[in-house]
Amino acid sequence: MQNPSRRQLLQAGASAMFGLAFSPVLARSSDSVLPKGPINLVVPFAAGGATDVVSRLVAQKLGDRIQRTVVVENLSGGGGAIGAAKVARATPDGHTLLMGTIATHVINPLSMGQQLPYRAQTDFTPVSLVVTVPNVLLVNKSVKATNVRELIALVKAQPNQFSYGSSGVGTPPHLSGELFKSTMGLQMTHVPYKGGGPAMTDLIAGHIPILFDVLSGAASHIRAGSVRALAVTTSERVASFPDLPTMVESGVPGYETWTWNAVFGPAGMPRPMVDALSGALHEVVAQPDVQAQLKDLSATPVGSTPDALTQLVDSETQKWQAVIKSIGGLKKD
């Protein structure tokens, strides 16, 4: 079966948004089904990374929308597994939510198996897909490569002399790097971090020469000129950086990866509460100022029904299972 492209996923999300906007369930939803008191939104990566940046914007706007305090809690480690496990064990009363990613709900289950401290398919209640985001290939400004082809030649000329960083083992940026290595026959060492923020700090400082990052987290650094962006990992260029080529355009055949952020709760949340939260998130990402800010971060606003998010996780599992198999599995560096 052919894996869905990013465009197909966005079209599916747009259809879900249309259906949600006119849902009779939403029309009947009221304040009475929402959690009473503050909501804790667990971000399973370090502060300053892409997921954290998107989460803080969404948390503030969601809090305004439902008149509740929504607090972001960064709980990094294990490629997102530690934070996700906390939410999986929480009481399903809506007071604890997770900003999940491909890492927490697709890649970790595929790579860690029984070692994972939660079951992605059964320990969570899907609420809404929030955004999709490309990954990006970055280098320190001292690296003598101004495009992907020059970087490939540089790495091939010095096998095992270059390392690349990511936000953690098993995260989409990590797999983006492994797919790059596998496709082009490169020998590089992976350096995992506890989030995109610390990895970016070390890239700027020159402690690592190469970084695969989520574009929403890297955007401000690219614009500031503190790092050099070589290519986006999606099959099409992005509107926020129209001059930045894709990996395919840069000579890496068949290359395409991306990530997404979606809200999940613990398993067993009441469906009326889930629908109310999903509807509120849809309304948040539909706000013009939120859309503008997310697009400035190179994140594409989506918003979806819980069922559409379930379908997305299923399709992404199929896609990444094939990617992990193609690179011979994941090695714990």
Side-chain angles (χ1 to χ4, degrees):
M1 184 176 70
Q2 185 177 9
N3 292 315
S5 67
R6 181 168 177 264
R7 175 182 289 179
Q8 289 170 325
L9 289 173
L10 293 179
Q11 289 172 341
S15 298
M17 285 178 67
F18 181 85
L20 185 58
F22 294 92
S23 168
V25 174
L26 263 186
R28 295 193 301 268
S29 67
S30 67
D31 183 77
S32 63
V33 303
L34 289 168
K36 306 300 181 185
I39 296 173
N40 193 39
L41 179 62
V42 175
V43 175
F45 300 100
T51 300
D52 179 66
V53 172
V54 170
S55 298
R56 291 184 183 276
L57 172 61
V58 171
Q60 178 188 347
K61 294 295 185 176
L62 177 62
D64 294 342
R65 173 69 184 82
I66 64 175
Q67 298 184 325
R68 305 286 194 278
T69 300
V70 182
V71 180
V72 171
E73 177 189 1
N74 296 95
L75 190 57
S76 61
I82 293 176
K86 175 178 179 175
V87 177
R89 294 190 297 264
T91 303
D93 56 8
H95 288 291
T96 306
L97 301 174
L98 172 73
M99 186 61 83
T101 67
I102 295 176
T104 60
H105 278 73
V106 178
I107 299 174
N108 283 348
L110 289 173
S111 61
M112 297 177 68
Q114 296 298 318
Q115 297 178 345
L116 194 65
Y118 60 86
R119 296 182 180 179
Q121 297 291 336
T122 58
D123 287 352
F124 298 92
T125 300
V127 178
S128 180
L129 173 65
V130 178
V131 298
T132 63
V133 192
N135 296 319
V136 61
L137 170 57
L138 308 161
V139 296
N140 178 272
K141 292 191 296 183
S142 66
V143 174
K144 299 184 183 304
T146 59
N147 56 56
V148 176
R149 287 183 174 85
E150 290 178 357
L151 180 64
I152 291 170
L154 196 62
V155 174
K156 284 189 172 182
Q158 303 174 65
N160 294 315
Q161 297 302 305
F162 284 85
S163 62
Y164 79 93
S166 80
S167 50
V169 173
T171 59
H174 174 207
L175 280 188
S176 294
E178 291 301 307
L179 185 60
F180 180 48
K181 287 170 55 180
S182 175
T183 302
M184 303 310 299
L186 304 177
Q187 297 180 45
M188 295 190 297
T189 302
H190 175 227
V191 181
Y193 289 82
K194 291 184 178 181
M200 179 62 73
T201 297
D202 270 13
L203 178 71
I204 294 172
H207 299 310
I208 52 172
I210 302 166
L211 175 66
F212 279 88
D213 197 11
V214 181
L215 186 54
S216 57
S220 63
H221 301 285
I222 297 172
R223 293 192 178 100
S226 54
V227 297
R228 184 184 304 138
L230 301 187
V232 292
T233 64
T234 44
S235 60
E236 298 176 357
R237 297 192 182 198
V238 298
S240 55
F241 292 94
D243 296 331
L244 196 56
T246 68
M247 294 287 278
V248 171
E249 289 176 318
S250 303
V252 186
Y255 191 101
E256 182 182 23
T257 69
W258 64 85
T259 188
W260 42 259
N261 296 135
V263 173
F264 297 83
M269 285 178 62
R271 184 65 191 224
M273 179 185 291
V274 173
D275 287 331
L277 286 170
S278 181
L281 284 163
H282 162 257
E283 292 173 355
V284 163
V285 299
Q287 293 174 8
D289 63 324
V290 175
Q291 293 220 345
Q293 290 180 71
L294 288 173
K295 289 179 180 177
D296 188 58
L297 292 168
S298 302
T300 301
V302 183
S304 77
T305 63
D307 293 338
L309 176 54
T310 298
Q311 294 172 5
L312 171 67
V313 172
D314 289 343
S315 66
E316 287 287 86
T317 298
Q318 295 180 33
K319 180 248 178 78
W320 285 104
Q321 187 172 37
V323 171
I324 291 172
K325 183 178 180 180
S326 74
I327 62 174
L330 290 175
K331 296 179 180 179
K332 302 300 181 182
D333 296 312

